[in-house]
Amino acid sequence: MSQLKHPGRCSHYYRQLLSGRDRYLKEATKMQTSVVTVALFSFVQVLLSLSCFQEVVEAASGRGFGDNIHWRTLDDGKREAEASGLPIMVIIHKSWCGACKALKPKFAESKEISELAHNFIMVNLEDEEEPKDEAFSPDGGYIPRILFLDPLGVVHPEITNKNGNPNYKYFYSNAEQVISGMKEAQEKLTGDAFKHGHTGDEL
C-alpha cells in the first residue's frame, strides 16, 4: 500500500485552500453588503424623486378648480410673481370641505375666470399646505378663502368679496363673486396702479 511521501506539503496546500476560501467568502460578503447598500440608496432616491414629482403634479393639478389653469405652489408663485410683476391669487381649501366642493365646479367651468387667470399667478393650497402666517386668515380660518397678493408677495386684505357675507370677507360662493374680486385685484395690483401705490407706501 502506497503512502504519501510528503504529508506536510499536503497540509500546507490544504491550509492555503482554506485561506483562499475564507478570503473569497469575505470578498463575497463585502460585495453583497455593497450591493445591498447601493440598492437601498437607489430606493431612497426613487422615493424622494417620487415625492418631489408628486408635489409638482399636485401643484399642476387644479384639484377641482380647473386643470386648464396653470397652478403653482406658493413658494414658486411668489418667485414668479416677483419676476413677472403679476399679482397672486390664492385659494385656501380643504379636501373634506363641503363649501369648497360646491365652489369647485362653478370656478372650473367659468370661462371668464379662466381668461382672467392669465393675468395672475394662480395658487391653490389644500389641507396641510395652508400657510401658518396670520396674514392668510385676516378675519378667521374658515374655508374656502380667496386672497390676493401683490407681486412682492404681500397679502392685500382690502380686496374682499364685496357681494358676500361681511362676516366672512374672503369667502366666495359663486363664479360671479370671484370674477369681481379678480377684476378689483387686477386693477389695484398690476401695472402703474400698483407701482404708484407701492411708491406712496415707501415714502
Side-chain angles (χ1 to χ4, degrees):
M1 186 174 179
S2 61
Q3 294 181 349
L4 290 174
K5 294 182 178 180
H6 302 288
R9 186 180 300 174
C10 292
S11 299
H12 173 71
Y13 289 150
Y14 183 67
R15 286 194 298 271
Q16 283 187 324
L17 181 63
L18 290 178
S19 177
R21 186 199 64 177
D22 290 342
R23 284 198 301 271
Y24 172 79
L25 290 175
K26 287 180 181 178
E27 291 299 324
T29 302
K30 287 181 181 178
M31 288 180 64
Q32 287 179 340
T33 303
S34 298
V35 169
V36 171
T37 301
V38 170
L40 285 173
F41 181 72
S42 300
F43 181 66
V44 170
Q45 280 188 315
V46 169
L47 286 179
L48 289 173
S49 298
L50 288 174
S51 177
C52 293
F53 178 73
Q54 184 178 7
E55 287 183 7
V56 172
V57 169
E58 288 182 353
S61 167
R63 295 160 169 171
F65 284 98
D67 291 340
N68 58 318
I69 293 174
H70 183 189
W71 299 98
R72 289 83 156 179
T73 63
L74 183 58
D75 288 339
D76 287 345
K78 285 182 175 181
R79 284 191 291 267
E80 190 172 339
E82 187 173 5
S84 66
L86 292 175
I88 304 171
M89 176 175 171
V90 175
I91 305 174
I92 299 173
H93 59 103
K94 304 292 183 184
S95 54
W96 46 262
C97 164
C100 304
K101 292 177 182 178
L103 177 62
K104 287 178 180 181
K106 301 172 186 176
F107 190 106
E109 293 166 10
S110 171
K111 292 182 179 179
E112 192 166 358
I113 288 178
S114 182
E115 288 297 320
L116 286 169
H118 292 296
N119 303 316
F120 291 86
I121 304 298
M122 302 293 287
V123 175
N124 84 54
L125 305 175
E126 186 177 63
D127 296 333
E128 299 306 315
E129 296 170 349
E130 179 179 354
K132 305 301 181 186
D133 188 343
E134 292 182 357
F136 288 88
S137 52
D139 64 346
Y142 55 85
I143 47 174
R145 303 193 302 282
I146 295 179
L147 297 141
F148 295 94
L149 288 66
D150 64 36
L152 299 178
V154 177
V155 176
H156 281 253
E158 74 277 9
I159 302 176
T160 63
N161 181 5
K162 304 296 191 295
N163 300 312
N165 187 331
N167 294 320
Y168 306 100
K169 297 177 181 178
Y170 309 95
F171 177 86
Y172 295 73
S173 59
N174 58 57
E176 290 72 24
Q177 293 175 351
V178 174
I179 290 167
S180 178
M182 293 177 79
K183 287 181 176 179
E184 181 184 354
Q186 185 179 355
E187 180 181 344
K188 292 182 177 179
L189 303 180
T190 57
D192 292 337
F194 170 67
K195 289 179 182 177
H196 292 324
H198 182 61
T199 302
D201 291 340
E202 289 181 339
L203 295 177

